[in-house]
Amino acid sequence: MGIKVKSIGLIGLGVLAGIGMSLQFPAMAQKITNAPLPLDELRQLSDVFGLIKTDYVEKVEDKKLLTEAISGMVSSLDPHSVYLDKNAFKEMRESVQGKFVGIGIEVSMEDGYVKVVSPIEDSPAAKAGILAGDLITRLDTIPLKGLQLEEVIKKMRGQPGSKLVLTMSRKGESRPLVFPIVREEIRVQSVKAKMVAPGYAWLRIAQFQEPTVDDMVKKINALYAQDPKLKGLVLDLRNDPGGVVPGAIGVATAFLPGNSVIVSTKGQLPESKQVFYGRREFYAPPGAKADPLAKLPAALKTVPLVVLVNAGSASASEIVAGALQDYQRATVIGTQTFGKGSVQTLRQITADTAVKLTTARYYTPKGRAIQARGIVPDLLVDETAEGDGWNSLRIREADLEKHLSSNDGKPEAAKPTMEGRQDQLEEEQRLIATAKKRKPLEYGAKDDFQLQQALNHFQGLPVQLAKVDPKVEKIGAKPEIASDIKADDKKIPVQKP
């Protein structure tokens, strides 16, 4: 798209684009292949290395040159393959565990300023009185205007017990506000739940982490304790960027018959060609003695279910939505998902570094490719009654440079012509102006339009559908469920015999 939507990150955590199966595979040493080395190309690399060492304007450390060469080689493959240095590797492990050291705020970059989207409940930021909508202008004495969001996040990270002074600008306040805050370890609650109407519950998963399945079980049991005869449940996966896949398998399994196929993968390596079932070994933490889903009420398997998704729903959240849609277990409502249907496997290189490498593609239980296509809802519903707001400005996987194709033989959406780009730009400017006038959307609130449409669906009331997105039409709204498995491959069974 012509204009990319503003970045959103979690201080000390960052946004996981979905690390796929990476934590299901053990750390692996570098593999030795029998393929001959490309000697001419390696000689060129050596020549360039030597040229930089002798001719560059200033001295460059060998380690820096080689690290950057590795990083560039990996990142040139696709948007999700990346080399993780010591700090990045440590941050990824913390993110997957759902904990980090920071101050506990979700932020976005808006017009060059860092804006607080939401403080995390019970975090140092929330206790200090920081509010959604506040603008952070300084960290200690450092002005933030013009810095990239990633730079700001790094500056907010630190050791537990270390101090940070935030200078804030707040609407309605004539003077800057100063907040001295002490960093601490923060555990992110990936699951929220509440009753939103008599007989109807809302369950939100913001990100798939190691504790997600256990947290979901606790929340669902609490809901059924409030109302043992639930008439409907909304599973909210909007803006869920993914995370660890065992969490996604566990969530989908909670609503499906045992042994159901949840997702399959296909790649170059034999171990990348797998089928993942709704069984304990696919979602329970290593070493777990009991099945975490055994504590769920039996009624959960048949309770009417709606899944809410949008363009921010990616990777593991698309696995859940795709599985529940394939089995017609849930009605999927919202807008087309991101389309991040590739598996990233973590290959540890040294004790402190690793490569996150794309090794396979995901397929739904009935063989639909997720990569660069996403999940198209059964009912297309905009974010608000007036339109899809910021959500309509978001890029999807298919918009990313060097994105992996779906490999399903179907053509991707055509790129707009020059005339089309101008029309698109004008439409985006109009949407930006309209979206700026609206207050930030709070998921699960009374004015959550998509949630209200989900409740209307449960109750047999009219659902306000979106205008058809031409982009969705080109990609294939409501695609036929057809197998993408080759003729000589075994069909994926609904249940393992």
Tab-separated table of all heavy atoms in Angstrom, residues 121-163:
chain	number	residue	atom	x	y	z
A	121	GLU	N	-1.943	-3.486	32.810
A	121	GLU	CA	-2.541	-3.516	34.142
A	121	GLU	C	-1.502	-3.889	35.206
A	121	GLU	O	-0.738	-4.837	35.037
A	121	GLU	CB	-3.689	-4.529	34.160
A	121	GLU	CG	-4.494	-4.524	35.439
A	121	GLU	CD	-5.669	-5.475	35.372
A	121	GLU	OE1	-5.882	-6.078	34.296
A	121	GLU	OE2	-6.361	-5.628	36.381
A	122	ASP	N	-1.474	-3.101	36.302
A	122	ASP	CA	-0.594	-3.328	37.459
A	122	ASP	C	0.886	-3.158	37.138
A	122	ASP	O	1.748	-3.574	37.924
A	122	ASP	CB	-0.820	-4.716	38.067
A	122	ASP	CG	-2.207	-4.862	38.669
A	122	ASP	OD1	-2.727	-3.856	39.201
A	122	ASP	OD2	-2.775	-5.967	38.600
A	123	SER	N	1.218	-2.553	36.009
A	123	SER	CA	2.616	-2.317	35.656
A	123	SER	C	3.116	-1.034	36.327
A	123	SER	O	2.321	-0.222	36.823
A	123	SER	CB	2.755	-2.184	34.138
A	123	SER	OG	2.131	-0.983	33.694
A	124	PRO	N	4.443	-0.801	36.362
A	124	PRO	CA	4.962	0.453	36.913
A	124	PRO	C	4.361	1.677	36.239
A	124	PRO	O	4.091	2.683	36.899
A	124	PRO	CB	6.465	0.344	36.647
A	124	PRO	CG	6.742	-1.113	36.603
A	124	PRO	CD	5.525	-1.731	35.983
A	125	ALA	N	4.150	1.606	34.919
A	125	ALA	CA	3.574	2.752	34.199
A	125	ALA	C	2.152	3.030	34.666
A	125	ALA	O	1.761	4.181	34.864
A	125	ALA	CB	3.599	2.480	32.696
A	126	ALA	N	1.346	1.968	34.831
A	126	ALA	CA	-0.038	2.146	35.271
A	126	ALA	C	-0.083	2.706	36.689
A	126	ALA	O	-0.879	3.600	37.002
A	126	ALA	CB	-0.780	0.814	35.202
A	127	LYS	N	0.790	2.189	37.550
A	127	LYS	CA	0.814	2.663	38.936
A	127	LYS	C	1.278	4.102	39.037
A	127	LYS	O	0.870	4.837	39.949
A	127	LYS	CB	1.721	1.754	39.771
A	127	LYS	CG	1.185	0.335	39.929
A	127	LYS	CD	2.196	-0.563	40.629
A	127	LYS	CE	1.691	-1.998	40.732
A	127	LYS	NZ	2.699	-2.906	41.326
A	128	ALA	N	2.136	4.522	38.087
A	128	ALA	CA	2.633	5.902	38.099
A	128	ALA	C	1.600	6.904	37.607
A	128	ALA	O	1.745	8.109	37.813
A	128	ALA	CB	3.900	6.002	37.251
A	129	GLY	N	0.546	6.429	36.941
A	129	GLY	CA	-0.506	7.318	36.463
A	129	GLY	C	-0.432	7.660	34.997
A	129	GLY	O	-1.127	8.572	34.532
A	130	ILE	N	0.382	6.938	34.224
A	130	ILE	CA	0.442	7.167	32.780
A	130	ILE	C	-0.856	6.674	32.145
A	130	ILE	O	-1.355	5.601	32.481
A	130	ILE	CB	1.659	6.452	32.169
A	130	ILE	CG1	2.939	7.135	32.658
A	130	ILE	CG2	1.615	6.453	30.652
A	130	ILE	CD1	4.215	6.457	32.195
A	131	LEU	N	-1.386	7.457	31.201
A	131	LEU	CA	-2.685	7.154	30.603
A	131	LEU	C	-2.568	6.937	29.096
A	131	LEU	O	-1.628	7.432	28.453
A	131	LEU	CB	-3.664	8.305	30.863
A	131	LEU	CG	-3.911	8.706	32.326
A	131	LEU	CD1	-4.833	9.918	32.382
A	131	LEU	CD2	-4.487	7.542	33.111
A	132	ALA	N	-3.522	6.225	28.546
A	132	ALA	CA	-3.601	6.064	27.098
A	132	ALA	C	-3.765	7.436	26.457
A	132	ALA	O	-4.545	8.270	26.933
A	132	ALA	CB	-4.772	5.162	26.734
A	133	GLY	N	-3.041	7.682	25.391
A	133	GLY	CA	-3.112	8.975	24.708
A	133	GLY	C	-1.996	9.926	25.090
A	133	GLY	O	-1.754	10.921	24.392
A	134	ASP	N	-1.282	9.653	26.198
A	134	ASP	CA	-0.145	10.496	26.576
A	134	ASP	C	0.953	10.403	25.523
A	134	ASP	O	1.181	9.327	24.939
A	134	ASP	CB	0.427	10.058	27.928
A	134	ASP	CG	-0.466	10.410	29.102
A	134	ASP	OD1	-1.415	11.197	28.897
A	134	ASP	OD2	-0.214	9.915	30.218
A	135	LEU	N	1.652	11.503	25.278
A	135	LEU	CA	2.788	11.519	24.359
A	135	LEU	C	4.074	11.554	25.169
A	135	LEU	O	4.230	12.394	26.055
A	135	LEU	CB	2.730	12.725	23.427
A	135	LEU	CG	1.574	12.791	22.432
A	135	LEU	CD1	1.652	14.077	21.615
A	135	LEU	CD2	1.598	11.578	21.498
A	136	ILE	N	4.990	10.632	24.873
A	136	ILE	CA	6.285	10.619	25.563
A	136	ILE	C	7.240	11.506	24.771
A	136	ILE	O	7.526	11.232	23.603
A	136	ILE	CB	6.846	9.191	25.661
A	136	ILE	CG1	5.814	8.249	26.282
A	136	ILE	CG2	8.128	9.181	26.490
A	136	ILE	CD1	6.249	6.793	26.275
A	137	THR	N	7.748	12.545	25.387
A	137	THR	CA	8.621	13.491	24.683
A	137	THR	C	10.097	13.289	25.013
A	137	THR	O	10.963	13.568	24.195
A	137	THR	CB	8.229	14.935	25.002
A	137	THR	OG1	8.279	15.137	26.424
A	137	THR	CG2	6.811	15.222	24.507
A	138	ARG	N	10.368	12.786	26.250
A	138	ARG	CA	11.764	12.569	26.655
A	138	ARG	C	11.882	11.317	27.519
A	138	ARG	O	10.984	10.999	28.283
A	138	ARG	CB	12.301	13.756	27.458
A	138	ARG	CG	12.597	14.990	26.633
A	138	ARG	CD	13.087	16.136	27.506
A	138	ARG	NE	13.377	17.319	26.716
A	138	ARG	CZ	14.575	17.615	26.204
A	138	ARG	NH1	15.603	16.818	26.441
A	138	ARG	NH2	14.762	18.702	25.480
A	139	LEU	N	13.018	10.641	27.376
A	139	LEU	CA	13.416	9.587	28.290
A	139	LEU	C	14.674	10.075	28.993
A	139	LEU	O	15.697	10.295	28.333
A	139	LEU	CB	13.703	8.287	27.548
A	139	LEU	CG	12.509	7.606	26.867
A	139	LEU	CD1	12.969	6.337	26.170
A	139	LEU	CD2	11.434	7.271	27.882
A	140	ASP	N	14.577	10.256	30.310
A	140	ASP	CA	15.624	10.945	31.058
A	140	ASP	C	15.832	12.312	30.393
A	140	ASP	O	14.905	13.098	30.338
A	140	ASP	CB	16.906	10.098	31.111
A	140	ASP	CG	16.720	8.842	31.973
A	140	ASP	OD1	15.944	8.910	32.947
A	140	ASP	OD2	17.348	7.817	31.684
A	141	THR	N	16.973	12.558	29.812
A	141	THR	CA	17.197	13.866	29.162
A	141	THR	C	17.187	13.761	27.636
A	141	THR	O	17.476	14.735	26.948
A	141	THR	CB	18.544	14.456	29.612
A	141	THR	OG1	19.596	13.545	29.274
A	141	THR	CG2	18.549	14.680	31.126
A	142	ILE	N	16.861	12.600	27.113
A	142	ILE	CA	16.958	12.368	25.669
A	142	ILE	C	15.635	12.689	24.982
A	142	ILE	O	14.612	12.058	25.279
A	142	ILE	CB	17.334	10.902	25.386
A	142	ILE	CG1	18.648	10.547	26.080
A	142	ILE	CG2	17.431	10.652	23.883
A	142	ILE	CD1	18.980	9.073	26.018
A	143	PRO	N	15.593	13.647	24.049
A	143	PRO	CA	14.361	13.922	23.295
A	143	PRO	C	14.079	12.785	22.311
A	143	PRO	O	15.001	12.250	21.694
A	143	PRO	CB	14.664	15.234	22.572
A	143	PRO	CG	16.144	15.298	22.489
A	143	PRO	CD	16.682	14.572	23.682
A	144	LEU	N	12.816	12.428	22.154
A	144	LEU	CA	12.449	11.282	21.322
A	144	LEU	C	11.965	11.654	19.929
A	144	LEU	O	11.808	10.788	19.084
A	144	LEU	CB	11.362	10.454	22.024
A	144	LEU	CG	11.712	9.922	23.412
A	144	LEU	CD1	10.610	9.020	23.913
A	144	LEU	CD2	13.044	9.185	23.389
A	145	LYS	N	11.703	12.914	19.702
A	145	LYS	CA	11.200	13.336	18.395
A	145	LYS	C	12.146	12.894	17.290
A	145	LYS	O	13.344	13.187	17.301
A	145	LYS	CB	11.044	14.863	18.367
A	145	LYS	CG	10.650	15.460	17.034
A	145	LYS	CD	9.224	15.130	16.668
A	145	LYS	CE	8.790	15.891	15.399
A	145	LYS	NZ	7.442	15.543	14.967
A	146	GLY	N	11.622	12.143	16.327
A	146	GLY	CA	12.407	11.718	15.185
A	146	GLY	C	13.058	10.360	15.327
A	146	GLY	O	13.548	9.809	14.342
A	147	LEU	N	13.074	9.777	16.549
A	147	LEU	CA	13.662	8.453	16.727
A	147	LEU	C	12.712	7.371	16.224
A	147	LEU	O	11.500	7.531	16.255
A	147	LEU	CB	13.986	8.199	18.201
A	147	LEU	CG	15.087	9.044	18.851
A	147	LEU	CD1	15.312	8.593	20.284
A	147	LEU	CD2	16.389	8.934	18.061
A	148	GLN	N	13.275	6.254	15.778
A	148	GLN	CA	12.473	5.110	15.382
A	148	GLN	C	11.902	4.433	16.630
A	148	GLN	O	12.498	4.485	17.700
A	148	GLN	CB	13.308	4.105	14.596
A	148	GLN	CG	13.832	4.627	13.268
A	148	GLN	CD	12.714	4.935	12.290
A	148	GLN	OE1	11.780	4.145	12.123
A	148	GLN	NE2	12.797	6.085	11.632
A	149	LEU	N	10.747	3.782	16.455
A	149	LEU	CA	10.097	3.129	17.594
A	149	LEU	C	11.013	2.082	18.226
A	149	LEU	O	11.067	1.956	19.455
A	149	LEU	CB	8.787	2.480	17.143
A	149	LEU	CG	7.904	1.907	18.265
A	149	LEU	CD1	7.441	3.008	19.195
A	149	LEU	CD2	6.709	1.175	17.672
A	150	GLU	N	11.749	1.331	17.389
A	150	GLU	CA	12.636	0.299	17.919
A	150	GLU	C	13.722	0.909	18.808
A	150	GLU	O	14.101	0.320	19.827
A	150	GLU	CB	13.284	-0.487	16.770
A	150	GLU	CG	12.326	-1.376	15.986
A	150	GLU	CD	11.424	-0.582	15.047
A	150	GLU	OE1	11.724	0.620	14.804
A	150	GLU	OE2	10.439	-1.138	14.558
A	151	GLU	N	14.230	2.096	18.429
A	151	GLU	CA	15.240	2.766	19.242
A	151	GLU	C	14.668	3.167	20.593
A	151	GLU	O	15.328	3.023	21.630
A	151	GLU	CB	15.759	4.015	18.515
A	151	GLU	CG	16.511	3.747	17.233
A	151	GLU	CD	16.949	5.037	16.574
A	151	GLU	OE1	17.916	5.641	17.067
A	151	GLU	OE2	16.307	5.450	15.591
A	152	VAL	N	13.431	3.654	20.580
A	152	VAL	CA	12.787	4.073	21.823
A	152	VAL	C	12.584	2.869	22.740
A	152	VAL	O	12.828	2.938	23.949
A	152	VAL	CB	11.438	4.759	21.530
A	152	VAL	CG1	10.721	5.121	22.824
A	152	VAL	CG2	11.661	6.008	20.674
A	153	ILE	N	12.144	1.754	22.155
A	153	ILE	CA	11.919	0.543	22.956
A	153	ILE	C	13.213	0.099	23.627
A	153	ILE	O	13.234	-0.251	24.808
A	153	ILE	CB	11.344	-0.578	22.074
A	153	ILE	CG1	9.900	-0.239	21.676
A	153	ILE	CG2	11.375	-1.923	22.791
A	153	ILE	CD1	9.286	-1.191	20.688
A	154	LYS	N	14.317	0.121	22.876
A	154	LYS	CA	15.594	-0.285	23.456
A	154	LYS	C	15.989	0.625	24.617
A	154	LYS	O	16.537	0.165	25.619
A	154	LYS	CB	16.680	-0.262	22.375
A	154	LYS	CG	16.579	-1.406	21.376
A	154	LYS	CD	17.709	-1.349	20.365
A	154	LYS	CE	17.597	-2.506	19.373
A	154	LYS	NZ	18.675	-2.464	18.356
A	155	LYS	N	15.717	1.922	24.491
A	155	LYS	CA	16.073	2.859	25.559
A	155	LYS	C	15.210	2.658	26.803
A	155	LYS	O	15.615	2.996	27.912
A	155	LYS	CB	15.947	4.299	25.058
A	155	LYS	CG	16.967	4.679	23.993
A	155	LYS	CD	16.819	6.117	23.557
A	155	LYS	CE	17.777	6.438	22.420
A	155	LYS	NZ	19.195	6.265	22.804
A	156	MET	N	14.015	2.124	26.628
A	156	MET	CA	13.143	1.900	27.779
A	156	MET	C	13.447	0.586	28.495
A	156	MET	O	13.016	0.383	29.618
A	156	MET	CB	11.682	1.922	27.341
A	156	MET	CG	11.201	3.294	26.955
A	156	MET	SD	9.406	3.352	26.858
A	156	MET	CE	9.156	5.045	26.374
A	157	ARG	N	14.157	-0.295	27.837
A	157	ARG	CA	14.537	-1.535	28.482
A	157	ARG	C	15.689	-1.293	29.439
A	157	ARG	O	16.413	-0.315	29.326
A	157	ARG	CB	14.936	-2.577	27.437
A	157	ARG	CG	13.783	-3.036	26.591
A	157	ARG	CD	14.248	-3.903	25.445
A	157	ARG	NE	13.134	-4.333	24.621
A	157	ARG	CZ	13.223	-4.637	23.338
A	157	ARG	NH1	14.376	-4.534	22.734
A	157	ARG	NH2	12.160	-5.028	22.667
A	158	GLY	N	15.876	-2.222	30.359
A	158	GLY	CA	16.968	-2.079	31.311
A	158	GLY	C	16.933	-3.172	32.346
A	158	GLY	O	16.222	-4.167	32.200
A	159	GLN	N	17.696	-3.000	33.392
A	159	GLN	CA	17.774	-3.976	34.457
A	159	GLN	C	16.661	-3.750	35.482
A	159	GLN	O	16.229	-2.617	35.701
A	159	GLN	CB	19.131	-3.888	35.152
A	159	GLN	CG	20.308	-4.229	34.248
A	159	GLN	CD	20.225	-5.650	33.723
A	159	GLN	OE1	19.947	-6.588	34.481
A	159	GLN	NE2	20.484	-5.813	32.437
A	160	PRO	N	16.189	-4.824	36.127
A	160	PRO	CA	15.190	-4.654	37.195
A	160	PRO	C	15.726	-3.736	38.290
A	160	PRO	O	16.883	-3.858	38.704
A	160	PRO	CB	14.987	-6.086	37.718
A	160	PRO	CG	15.451	-6.975	36.621
A	160	PRO	CD	16.544	-6.239	35.917
A	161	GLY	N	14.901	-2.803	38.711
A	161	GLY	CA	15.304	-1.866	39.758
A	161	GLY	C	15.943	-0.593	39.258
A	161	GLY	O	16.134	0.353	40.026
A	162	SER	N	16.279	-0.535	37.959
A	162	SER	CA	16.866	0.699	37.417
A	162	SER	C	15.782	1.742	37.181
A	162	SER	O	14.622	1.419	36.959
A	162	SER	CB	17.615	0.407	36.113
A	162	SER	OG	16.739	-0.151	35.140
A	163	LYS	N	16.160	3.004	37.240
A	163	LYS	CA	15.199	4.101	37.163
A	163	LYS	C	15.169	4.736	35.777
A	163	LYS	O	16.161	4.768	35.061
A	163	LYS	CB	15.519	5.163	38.217
A	163	LYS	CG	15.361	4.673	39.641
A	163	LYS	CD	15.656	5.775	40.646
A	163	LYS	CE	15.487	5.274	42.081
A	163	LYS	NZ	15.801	6.328	43.069
